[in-house]
Amino acid sequence: MEPDLSFEATLESYTVSSGSGSKLRSYTTNIIDPDSRNDLSAASSSGGLSGKGSSMSLPQDASAAATAVAAAADVNGGAADVKVSLADSSGVAASTSTVDDFVAEEQLFDPNCDPNNPKPIQFQDVSAAAYKIRKGIVRTPCDRSHMSRITNMDIYLKKDFLQYTGSFKERGARYTLLCLDKEQRKVGVVAASAGNHALALAYHGQELGIPVAVVMPTMAPLMKIYACMQYGARVVVTGNDFNEAKIIAMRIAKTEGLLYVNGYDHPQILAGQGTIGLEIIEQMSKTVDAVVVPVGGGGLIAGIAVAMKTMSPNTLIIGAESERCPSFTDALKSGEPVQSVVKSSLADGLSVPKVGSNAFYSCRDIIDRIVTVSEEFIALAILRLLELEKVVVEGAGAAGLAAILQGLLPELQGKTVVVILCGGNIDTTVLGRVIERGLAVDGRLIHFVTTVSDRPGGIAELSAILAGMGVSIKDIFHERAWLKSDIFQVKVRCVCEVRDREHGEELLAKLKDKYGHVSVN
């Protein structure tokens, strides 16, 4: 007989039912045997089982991972009672299962996004999408920017962050849902996303009465997880990154008969995003010389390029991607989508390690240029939009403007340029840090270190110099213990806000005249 095992557990990934009185459907955890205190690392299990306390037998091989499933267990103080049936409780710690182990016996395949058989979209696909979604999405404004006067370009901002859920993703999501046949509408769809695609599908699924499941990696913002639940989606939080979440989502699609909707490569997603291009042509009273588009997985630029190049062949289509994830640049160099190295970025919505095949082959021959932008200028673009346009966008949404501010597109001087602001769902905890980084890049936030007298009035004298020049002190710190010079001197670290870069240079020059050595970070 297999022995029962009681355990303590900390939830690592979980599935929560939507609505009030939420239920814990399933979870992944590290189980701790209270007797042997050995960790048995649990693998992910999605969808839940019927009956509370359902158990699952484990392989005899102690190197296999233990799997624990809480089926429809009540969330109560962060804990759930689960009985696990063990085939071997010898006290040997099991190794951690990977997602690859978890789906090793399954062939997970998305027929709509086959790299060996790509499906490039055509203009008629975009046109059909525009007709179908016309009553369900916001026709966002395309307004002239205040930054036209400081960039020597006639800039217009296509503000698609004004969609109900805060991003352009609604266009493709709604069109894909509207194209489902009657049977699939009853069963529903599933997607993997850390944010905007999940929000768009959840909202429009609720609007159209179509069941939606979204798999979100554990690093997804809690704000977005909660929003998806509020829109009635079944939310599965699992996987360390998007790739792991995608595997789980495709497994759910296979076992439950749901349609897996790739957020940046499904043909209908691409067609829906292309409706932005049609709106730009309708809204602009003058010829558009160029459109600058943020690039992640490639779905947005693919749709816009197909629409714009058909209706306005001479309009340049320029992509802007983060230098910390240059996946489209790498794909163009290789002639096909390839895996790229991804690093943490302010433009996390663009951090797709491999561009979509359908997207790539739809636009590789009709886009004119791809540039990579730095983190500093993404932060500066967010700051400029906040100060001059009175709008808040996320890092991905600001990438196109960042390319202009960084000076990567000098050929557009004197031209009429439309910049796509594709998303506004920036994490509120990040916004303050982004603003400070933008101020530093702009030369308006200065961090300097100097040495002043430690006798009465020394710090006051420094403060008087700063005040006399109209400089605002944001932070000041003085240290004595690590100073190796005069015992009656003190090292002062100061963060100040100045009007502009020239004002900052005047300040530093005056400080050097007064104190000699001044170091600037």
Side-chain angles (χ1 to χ4, degrees), residues 31-219:
I31 306 167
I32 305 175
D33 182 341
D35 296 322
S36 65
R37 310 307 296 176
N38 285 316
D39 285 352
L40 303 177
S41 297
S44 173
S45 180
S46 304
L49 301 175
S50 60
K52 184 173 181 178
S54 298
S55 62
M56 183 176 290
S57 296
L58 300 177
Q60 293 283 351
D61 184 358
S63 66
T67 301
V69 179
D74 292 342
V75 178
N76 182 13
D81 294 327
V82 181
K83 178 182 287 186
V84 176
S85 178
L86 293 177
D88 183 355
S89 59
S90 60
V92 179
S95 63
T96 302
S97 286
T98 65
V99 173
D100 289 338
D101 296 332
F102 186 54
V103 295
E105 297 179 359
E106 299 184 74
Q107 293 297 321
L108 300 178
F109 174 70
D110 182 3
N112 292 304
C113 305
D114 181 2
N116 297 317
N117 184 30
K119 301 175 181 177
I121 63 167
Q122 307 298 324
F123 177 76
Q124 54 265 34
D125 300 316
V126 179
S127 180
Y131 179 78
K132 276 207 166 190
I133 69 174
R134 69 192 187 284
K135 295 181 180 179
I137 55 102
V138 178
R139 192 174 187 267
T140 54
C142 189
D143 299 328
R144 192 168 190 269
S145 171
H146 293 280
M147 278 174 280
S148 297
R149 59 183 173 81
I150 62 174
T151 58
N152 193 30
M153 299 179 192
D154 195 14
I155 296 178
Y156 289 78
L157 303 176
K158 180 59 174 168
K159 300 176 179 177
D160 230 50
F161 64 91
L162 293 176
Q163 295 294 341
Y164 188 81
T165 62
S167 87
F168 74 101
K169 292 286 189 178
E170 288 191 30
R171 297 172 180 271
R174 187 172 183 89
Y175 182 52
T176 303
L177 292 172
L178 287 171
C179 289
L180 298 177
D181 60 36
K182 187 176 181 180
E183 291 303 314
Q184 195 64 57
R185 281 186 174 224
K186 292 179 181 178
V187 178
V189 300
V190 62
S193 169
N196 290 343
H197 180 51
L199 289 169
L201 267 183
Y203 171 67
H204 286 282
Q206 186 181 60
E207 288 280 297
L208 298 170
I210 298 171
V212 172
V214 291
V215 181
M216 307 181 78
T218 54
M219 53 76 173

Side-chain angles (χ1 to χ4, degrees), residues 415-437:
K415 305 290 186 179
T416 299
V417 182
V418 174
V419 177
I420 310 296
L421 304 182
C422 59
N425 291 319
I426 189 169
D427 192 333
T428 51
T429 61
V430 172
L431 183 58
R433 283 177 281 171
V434 171
I435 291 172
E436 287 195 341
R437 180 174 292 190

Side-chain angles (χ1 to χ4, degrees), residues 321-391:
E321 61 182 353
S322 169
E323 65 181 7
R324 300 181 71 82
C325 183
S327 52
F328 210 102
T329 299
D330 292 345
L332 288 173
K333 290 178 181 178
S334 301
E336 62 181 359
V338 294
Q339 199 77 14
S340 298
V341 176
V342 179
K343 299 176 183 177
S344 177
S345 172
L346 283 175
D348 56 339
L350 305 183
S351 297
V352 179
K354 186 176 182 181
V355 300
S357 297
N358 296 331
F360 180 75
Y361 291 108
S362 291
C363 69
R364 67 169 179 175
D365 296 325
I366 56 176
I367 57 176
D368 296 279
R369 191 177 174 196
I370 296 286
V371 296
T372 56
V373 297
S374 69
E375 293 289 286
E376 290 80 5
F377 280 92
I378 292 174
L380 180 59
I382 293 173
L383 178 64
R384 286 278 190 270
L385 288 166
L386 184 63
E387 290 185 321
L388 299 180
E389 307 296 337
K390 315 308 177 190
V391 301

Side-chain angles (χ1 to χ4, degrees), residues 454-497:
D454 197 25
R455 297 184 183 276
I459 298 293
E461 184 180 32
L462 172 62
S463 299
I465 292 173
L466 299 178
M469 294 189 66
V471 175
S472 175
I473 299 175
K474 295 299 182 184
D475 195 13
I476 189 167
F477 173 77
H478 51 281
E479 54 187 39
R480 299 178 177 86
W482 293 274
L483 193 63
K484 297 180 180 179
S485 57
D486 189 341
I487 192 67
F488 294 107
Q489 288 188 322
V490 61
K491 182 179 289 186
V492 178
R493 297 180 181 273
C494 192
V495 178
C496 298
E497 185 177 359

